[in-house]
Amino acid sequence: MLTQDIIKKKRDGKGLSKDEIAFLIKNYLSGEMPDYQMAAFLMAVCWRGMSRQETVWLTGELLHSGRTLRTDSLPGKKIDKHSTGGVGDKVSLVLAPLVASMGVRIPMISGRALGHTGGTVDKLESIPGLRTQLSIAEIDKNIRDVGLTIADQTGELVPAEKKLYALRDVTSTVESIPLITASILAKKLAVGLDGLVLDVKTGSGAFMRCIEDACALAQNMVEIADSMHKPTIAVITDMSQPLGRMVGNATEVVEAVETLQGRGPEDLLAVTMELGVHMLRLAGTCSDREDARQQLARALKDGGAMRKFQEMVERQGGDVRSLERFGQRVSKNVREVCSPASGYVTRIDTYQMGLAAVALGAGRRRLGDAVDHSTGYEMLAKLGNTTERGRPLVKVFYRDEASFKEAEGLILDAYEISDEKPAARRLIHKVLRDF
Amino acid sequence: MLTQDIIKKKRDGKGLSKDEIAFLIKNYLSGEMPDYQMAAFLMAVCWRGMSRQETVWLTGELLHSGRTLRTDSLPGKKIDKHSTGGVGDKVSLVLAPLVASMGVRIPMISGRALGHTGGTVDKLESIPGLRTQLSIAEIDKNIRDVGLTIADQTGELVPAEKKLYALRDVTSTVESIPLITASILAKKLAVGLDGLVLDVKTGSGAFMRCIEDACALAQNMVEIADSMHKPTIAVITDMSQPLGRMVGNATEVVEAVETLQGRGPEDLLAVTMELGVHMLRLAGTCSDREDARQQLARALKDGGAMRKFQEMVERQGGDVRSLERFGQRVSKNVREVCSPASGYVTRIDTYQMGLAAVALGAGRRRLGDAVDHSTGYEMLAKLGNTTERGRPLVKVFYRDEASFKEAEGLILDAYEISDEKPAARRLIHKVLRDF
């Protein structure tokens, strides 16, 4: 078997065999297949795609490229949620402890901020002392004892996926439905889940900007997961503006904690509840949608969710008392970006809003860059709100003047103010495999 | 400017600017842009193609990535021929000295055998002592004194093309019309030509198997050369069987010398004459096609072409006397491959025939492999000939039994014998920019 011949086959639009896919992934991980051959192969996949069967084989190869978590003996189902990423998406910080507080075990391997999107792991790391780089043994112990852990990807799990992702990032081969699908599913299935809820974002701040692409990705992921006998539900949610009001790291933890205490923004709560409903459904612990909603509301109200969050923070070495006065961790340099006109907020380019967070140091341009946990912003006006010329649109927490200026430019560019009241946008666009 | 963004632009089918193309090639040559990013870019070009303008810019960047030959002050035009490659294609060995003997200067940078195709430089190196790795200074001197040199590609000329080609070879990104065009033209124009004749092969042994693809490549090359103000004529010639009777290295030198002495096979002579006619036309030294043909025939007949060949061999350090008994350089291990049936030779898979030469050691699978100059074969039956069961089809000059067996299998597979007499195939399919 020659690597070039396999690349050529894909380049010419032909299907690959299980052995050929295994050959590539094994040799790539071992270093026998150089980066440049894999890069050419990945671009050929962006071009020609992969069949469902090929994607299943690829997912399997990535999944078994390292160790996997084995906790089948534990009582309670293991369910996870994955989001395709966006701006202000702090759902995991609320949803994971909420559902875990109801006895579902959640071994969540999360991502870091990259490009215009934020990352749950970076947000969590704004809590002093909290560690996200956990060994498989630690993850296993946390799942047993606490029922919940949110950890950074480790080299022990799906090492081939990790190596491949780093290469995709620098070769513009990220945007391919089969590659995204295999990458996400391999990562998620490596922790031995019983079911998975996918939050596929769509809109100007999402990876899949238009709803058709988001549906295609969701459909593909659900089908591949089906083929791998892993019950999966995909929810397509809106990302045509940042979720909630806060964007950043410490800023988002503030908002997540408020939400766990029942004082969160409506949109964040709505998405959290919808995803939670499907997680309970996969766990088999609710009779129907209404029952699930009531259980979730109760766990929020009686403080169970907040206590589970504190328990997780403590277990991962974080300073729980810091959560009470967490606003202090947000930068004291505050300035407002004001509206250049009066009227309705009719459009917010959320990709630009994400880049504004990167400009403030809250995100990263490249894998390996450092992140400033104290910066970010609060949105004072969202889609459909009215504003007036000179009235604040966004409150910015910044580090230095230059970064504020850059962010201000991006934010002003992102906001569209006009006279006509925009139609209300749905928050939940579609559910694949709904009740 | 970010490399990833340029790759992404091409991936998404958008056009690149001159600056972006320059950025890629300069950074790739300097090592700042790693192989894996270039590999992804090359596959994106295979996918999306390049506009005429982009191809001109790419050609220019490759062309000026190293030194160029400057011999504008010399009398006489500098004209060259390039073939897209095939099996038994020893045209350069006859054509270059023939046309050079008529006062046209020919600075020919030639290729090596790769995959199923042979290479002029390897064939020449079967002449004892002959050097093809010449410095620019040597090439320059040979062109001034002898009017002719055939040299291996040097790192001094078009280094970016050389680096790029090696990468394309191992990433299955060779087959792209704009990449092929830029690669060929940059190499050829770096020696400061006044005009170029392209021999674009088509048929089972050619890079472009069907005539439509060959025409598309020819058309693209002529257009790009036009845009670069370099008079160029493309001739589409047949490669649905090896050219002449001999395939290999020393074997092909034997046949080239016989042709220079007026005893060559008809098809080889016909292609040589057609290409020669257009070279003289570009040199401006003939009044019309008939005049050109007569001049060429005269130079062959009066020994001028053979003397020029000897002069070149001597200048490049080769043993001229060895040419008189060159058959001695061909392996003494000879066996015949016999016909399994009686009938007409109706098809010869020339790609397979090329692989048979590789099996005998006369070609190379990978850049950097060694070549056996003594092996090869002679075709005793060509398309349209009749044969009988048990009668020899091909006479093989081999090194060891195993390689003979492998070659025999490939040859038997390549030959199709059947009852119906095949239609005669044209040798010259088309001329772009004909008289």
Side-chain angles (χ1 to χ4, degrees), chain B residues 235-261:
Chain B
V235 184
I236 294 159
T237 68
D238 197 60
M239 186 41 70
S240 53
Q241 60 181 331
L243 197 61
R245 293 161 62 95
M246 292 294 201
V247 173
N249 294 291
T251 49
E252 294 200 34
V253 171
V254 166
E255 192 167 50
V257 167
E258 284 173 1
T259 309
L260 283 164
Q261 292 170 339

mmCIF file of all heavy atoms in Angstrom, chain B residues 235-261:
data_model
loop_
_atom_site.group_PDB
_atom_site.id
_atom_site.type_symbol
_atom_site.label_atom_id
_atom_site.label_comp_id
_atom_site.label_asym_id
_atom_site.label_seq_id
_atom_site.Cartn_x
_atom_site.Cartn_y
_atom_site.Cartn_z
ATOM 1 N N VAL B 235 2.541 20.758 -30.288
ATOM 2 C CA VAL B 235 2.212 19.670 -31.207
ATOM 3 C C VAL B 235 1.715 18.500 -30.364
ATOM 4 O O VAL B 235 2.391 18.101 -29.414
ATOM 5 C CB VAL B 235 3.450 19.245 -32.018
ATOM 6 C CG1 VAL B 235 3.073 18.179 -33.041
ATOM 7 C CG2 VAL B 235 4.080 20.448 -32.707
ATOM 8 N N ILE B 236 0.530 18.024 -30.688
ATOM 9 C CA ILE B 236 -0.007 16.897 -29.931
ATOM 10 C C ILE B 236 0.294 15.617 -30.695
ATOM 11 O O ILE B 236 -0.169 15.433 -31.823
ATOM 12 C CB ILE B 236 -1.511 17.093 -29.673
ATOM 13 C CG1 ILE B 236 -1.658 18.302 -28.751
ATOM 14 C CG2 ILE B 236 -2.133 15.852 -29.037
ATOM 15 C CD1 ILE B 236 -2.994 18.937 -28.791
ATOM 16 N N THR B 237 1.127 14.758 -30.101
ATOM 17 C CA THR B 237 1.582 13.557 -30.806
ATOM 18 C C THR B 237 1.146 12.295 -30.068
ATOM 19 O O THR B 237 0.823 12.335 -28.886
ATOM 20 C CB THR B 237 3.119 13.558 -30.975
ATOM 21 O OG1 THR B 237 3.719 13.395 -29.689
ATOM 22 C CG2 THR B 237 3.618 14.848 -31.606
ATOM 23 N N ASP B 238 1.170 11.216 -30.802
ATOM 24 C CA ASP B 238 0.606 9.974 -30.279
ATOM 25 C C ASP B 238 1.544 9.211 -29.350
ATOM 26 O O ASP B 238 2.732 9.044 -29.645
ATOM 27 C CB ASP B 238 0.213 9.065 -31.444
ATOM 28 C CG ASP B 238 -0.725 7.980 -30.978
ATOM 29 O OD1 ASP B 238 -1.814 8.332 -30.480
ATOM 30 O OD2 ASP B 238 -0.370 6.790 -31.071
ATOM 31 N N MET B 239 1.003 8.727 -28.250
ATOM 32 C CA MET B 239 1.755 7.874 -27.329
ATOM 33 C C MET B 239 0.878 6.695 -26.946
ATOM 34 O O MET B 239 0.776 6.313 -25.783
ATOM 35 C CB MET B 239 2.178 8.724 -26.122
ATOM 36 C CG MET B 239 3.101 8.116 -25.075
ATOM 37 S SD MET B 239 4.477 7.107 -25.625
ATOM 38 C CE MET B 239 5.573 8.270 -26.387
ATOM 39 N N SER B 240 0.195 6.111 -27.967
ATOM 40 C CA SER B 240 -0.587 4.923 -27.672
ATOM 41 C C SER B 240 0.242 3.662 -27.912
ATOM 42 O O SER B 240 -0.259 2.543 -27.765
ATOM 43 C CB SER B 240 -1.890 4.906 -28.468
ATOM 44 O OG SER B 240 -1.620 5.076 -29.816
ATOM 45 N N GLN B 241 1.529 3.859 -28.227
ATOM 46 C CA GLN B 241 2.508 2.785 -28.197
ATOM 47 C C GLN B 241 3.875 3.465 -28.043
ATOM 48 O O GLN B 241 4.004 4.655 -28.318
ATOM 49 C CB GLN B 241 2.456 1.935 -29.470
ATOM 50 C CG GLN B 241 2.737 2.705 -30.741
ATOM 51 C CD GLN B 241 2.639 1.813 -31.980
ATOM 52 O OE1 GLN B 241 2.879 0.618 -31.920
ATOM 53 N NE2 GLN B 241 2.291 2.429 -33.096
ATOM 54 N N PRO B 242 4.889 2.733 -27.540
ATOM 55 C CA PRO B 242 6.203 3.360 -27.407
ATOM 56 C C PRO B 242 6.674 3.904 -28.767
ATOM 57 O O PRO B 242 6.337 3.350 -29.822
ATOM 58 C CB PRO B 242 7.083 2.217 -26.913
ATOM 59 C CG PRO B 242 6.141 1.331 -26.158
ATOM 60 C CD PRO B 242 4.871 1.370 -26.970
ATOM 61 N N LEU B 243 7.429 4.980 -28.729
ATOM 62 C CA LEU B 243 7.922 5.601 -29.959
ATOM 63 C C LEU B 243 9.177 4.858 -30.396
ATOM 64 O O LEU B 243 10.065 4.609 -29.583
ATOM 65 C CB LEU B 243 8.216 7.080 -29.680
ATOM 66 C CG LEU B 243 8.355 8.006 -30.879
ATOM 67 C CD1 LEU B 243 7.086 8.061 -31.717
ATOM 68 C CD2 LEU B 243 8.728 9.422 -30.413
ATOM 69 N N GLY B 244 9.274 4.507 -31.695
ATOM 70 C CA GLY B 244 10.403 3.723 -32.179
ATOM 71 C C GLY B 244 10.265 2.268 -31.740
ATOM 72 O O GLY B 244 9.160 1.800 -31.445
ATOM 73 N N ARG B 245 11.410 1.589 -31.654
ATOM 74 C CA ARG B 245 11.378 0.178 -31.254
ATOM 75 C C ARG B 245 12.027 -0.038 -29.889
ATOM 76 O O ARG B 245 11.738 -1.002 -29.203
ATOM 77 C CB ARG B 245 12.135 -0.672 -32.281
ATOM 78 C CG ARG B 245 11.469 -0.725 -33.647
ATOM 79 C CD ARG B 245 12.460 -1.171 -34.743
ATOM 80 N NE ARG B 245 12.990 -2.507 -34.540
ATOM 81 C CZ ARG B 245 12.497 -3.619 -35.089
ATOM 82 N NH1 ARG B 245 11.427 -3.526 -35.874
ATOM 83 N NH2 ARG B 245 13.044 -4.784 -34.870
ATOM 84 N N MET B 246 12.942 0.854 -29.521
ATOM 85 C CA MET B 246 13.739 0.643 -28.318
ATOM 86 C C MET B 246 13.183 1.397 -27.102
ATOM 87 O O MET B 246 12.761 2.552 -27.220
ATOM 88 C CB MET B 246 15.164 1.140 -28.554
ATOM 89 C CG MET B 246 15.934 0.315 -29.564
ATOM 90 S SD MET B 246 16.224 -1.370 -28.929
ATOM 91 C CE MET B 246 17.640 -1.820 -29.991
ATOM 92 N N VAL B 247 13.243 0.725 -25.944
ATOM 93 C CA VAL B 247 12.892 1.372 -24.682
ATOM 94 C C VAL B 247 13.985 1.027 -23.667
ATOM 95 O O VAL B 247 14.434 -0.124 -23.602
ATOM 96 C CB VAL B 247 11.510 0.897 -24.171
ATOM 97 C CG1 VAL B 247 11.227 1.450 -22.781
ATOM 98 C CG2 VAL B 247 10.412 1.317 -25.143
ATOM 99 N N GLY B 248 14.434 2.027 -22.929
ATOM 100 C CA GLY B 248 15.499 1.816 -21.944
ATOM 101 C C GLY B 248 16.408 3.017 -21.955
ATOM 102 O O GLY B 248 15.941 4.147 -22.184
ATOM 103 N N ASN B 249 17.716 2.798 -21.727
ATOM 104 C CA ASN B 249 18.646 3.924 -21.738
ATOM 105 C C ASN B 249 19.681 3.721 -22.837
ATOM 106 O O ASN B 249 19.588 4.340 -23.901
ATOM 107 C CB ASN B 249 19.261 4.110 -20.352
ATOM 108 C CG ASN B 249 18.182 4.529 -19.337
ATOM 109 O OD1 ASN B 249 17.671 5.631 -19.401
ATOM 110 N ND2 ASN B 249 17.790 3.618 -18.447
ATOM 111 N N ALA B 250 20.659 2.806 -22.650
ATOM 112 C CA ALA B 250 21.624 2.531 -23.716
ATOM 113 C C ALA B 250 20.874 2.107 -24.987
ATOM 114 O O ALA B 250 21.217 2.513 -26.095
ATOM 115 C CB ALA B 250 22.599 1.450 -23.271
ATOM 116 N N THR B 251 19.822 1.300 -24.822
ATOM 117 C CA THR B 251 19.028 0.852 -25.975
ATOM 118 C C THR B 251 18.499 2.037 -26.783
ATOM 119 O O THR B 251 18.518 2.016 -28.016
ATOM 120 C CB THR B 251 17.809 0.037 -25.510
ATOM 121 O OG1 THR B 251 17.154 0.777 -24.482
ATOM 122 C CG2 THR B 251 18.191 -1.331 -24.990
ATOM 123 N N GLU B 252 18.068 3.064 -26.095
ATOM 124 C CA GLU B 252 17.506 4.211 -26.802
ATOM 125 C C GLU B 252 18.598 5.073 -27.437
ATOM 126 O O GLU B 252 18.368 5.699 -28.477
ATOM 127 C CB GLU B 252 16.615 5.040 -25.862
ATOM 128 C CG GLU B 252 15.372 4.263 -25.436
ATOM 129 C CD GLU B 252 14.243 5.157 -24.922
ATOM 130 O OE1 GLU B 252 14.088 6.280 -25.429
ATOM 131 O OE2 GLU B 252 13.516 4.707 -24.005
ATOM 132 N N VAL B 253 19.776 5.102 -26.814
ATOM 133 C CA VAL B 253 20.889 5.831 -27.439
ATOM 134 C C VAL B 253 21.257 5.129 -28.749
ATOM 135 O O VAL B 253 21.507 5.781 -29.772
ATOM 136 C CB VAL B 253 22.102 5.930 -26.481
ATOM 137 C CG1 VAL B 253 23.316 6.501 -27.216
ATOM 138 C CG2 VAL B 253 21.748 6.805 -25.283
ATOM 139 N N VAL B 254 21.253 3.791 -28.731
ATOM 140 C CA VAL B 254 21.523 3.023 -29.959
ATOM 141 C C VAL B 254 20.566 3.472 -31.069
ATOM 142 O O VAL B 254 20.973 3.790 -32.187
ATOM 143 C CB VAL B 254 21.339 1.498 -29.710
ATOM 144 C CG1 VAL B 254 21.286 0.730 -31.028
ATOM 145 C CG2 VAL B 254 22.445 0.960 -28.810
ATOM 146 N N GLU B 255 19.302 3.533 -30.735
ATOM 147 C CA GLU B 255 18.304 3.885 -31.745
ATOM 148 C C GLU B 255 18.420 5.350 -32.183
ATOM 149 O O GLU B 255 18.226 5.671 -33.356
ATOM 150 C CB GLU B 255 16.892 3.627 -31.197
ATOM 151 C CG GLU B 255 15.822 3.695 -32.273
ATOM 152 C CD GLU B 255 14.478 3.140 -31.783
ATOM 153 O OE1 GLU B 255 14.021 3.561 -30.700
ATOM 154 O OE2 GLU B 255 13.916 2.265 -32.464
ATOM 155 N N ALA B 256 18.764 6.228 -31.240
ATOM 156 C CA ALA B 256 18.919 7.648 -31.583
ATOM 157 C C ALA B 256 20.085 7.820 -32.552
ATOM 158 O O ALA B 256 19.979 8.558 -33.547
ATOM 159 C CB ALA B 256 19.140 8.470 -30.315
ATOM 160 N N VAL B 257 21.181 7.119 -32.266
ATOM 161 C CA VAL B 257 22.364 7.230 -33.145
ATOM 162 C C VAL B 257 22.027 6.688 -34.538
ATOM 163 O O VAL B 257 22.375 7.304 -35.557
ATOM 164 C CB VAL B 257 23.577 6.504 -32.513
ATOM 165 C CG1 VAL B 257 24.696 6.341 -33.525
ATOM 166 C CG2 VAL B 257 24.069 7.267 -31.285
ATOM 167 N N GLU B 258 21.304 5.569 -34.575
ATOM 168 C CA GLU B 258 20.885 5.022 -35.877
ATOM 169 C C GLU B 258 20.024 6.047 -36.638
ATOM 170 O O GLU B 258 20.159 6.205 -37.845
ATOM 171 C CB GLU B 258 20.084 3.734 -35.683
ATOM 172 C CG GLU B 258 20.957 2.532 -35.325
ATOM 173 C CD GLU B 258 20.138 1.284 -34.959
ATOM 174 O OE1 GLU B 258 18.884 1.348 -35.006
ATOM 175 O OE2 GLU B 258 20.768 0.268 -34.615
ATOM 176 N N THR B 259 19.184 6.736 -35.914
ATOM 177 C CA THR B 259 18.312 7.720 -36.564
ATOM 178 C C THR B 259 19.128 8.902 -37.074
ATOM 179 O O THR B 259 18.903 9.403 -38.186
ATOM 180 C CB THR B 259 17.212 8.177 -35.584
ATOM 181 O OG1 THR B 259 16.571 7.011 -35.039
ATOM 182 C CG2 THR B 259 16.167 9.029 -36.290
ATOM 183 N N LEU B 260 20.109 9.320 -36.279
ATOM 184 C CA LEU B 260 20.986 10.420 -36.711
ATOM 185 C C LEU B 260 21.800 9.997 -37.936
ATOM 186 O O LEU B 260 22.269 10.837 -38.705
ATOM 187 C CB LEU B 260 21.923 10.828 -35.566
ATOM 188 C CG LEU B 260 21.282 11.689 -34.472
ATOM 189 C CD1 LEU B 260 22.142 11.712 -33.210
ATOM 190 C CD2 LEU B 260 21.042 13.113 -34.988
ATOM 191 N N GLN B 261 21.954 8.678 -38.096
ATOM 192 C CA GLN B 261 22.698 8.173 -39.252
ATOM 193 C C GLN B 261 21.762 7.775 -40.400
ATOM 194 O O GLN B 261 22.176 7.141 -41.363
ATOM 195 C CB GLN B 261 23.546 6.975 -38.822
ATOM 196 C CG GLN B 261 24.680 7.380 -37.871
ATOM 197 C CD GLN B 261 25.384 6.175 -37.255
ATOM 198 O OE1 GLN B 261 24.825 5.073 -37.198
ATOM 199 N NE2 GLN B 261 26.617 6.390 -36.813
#
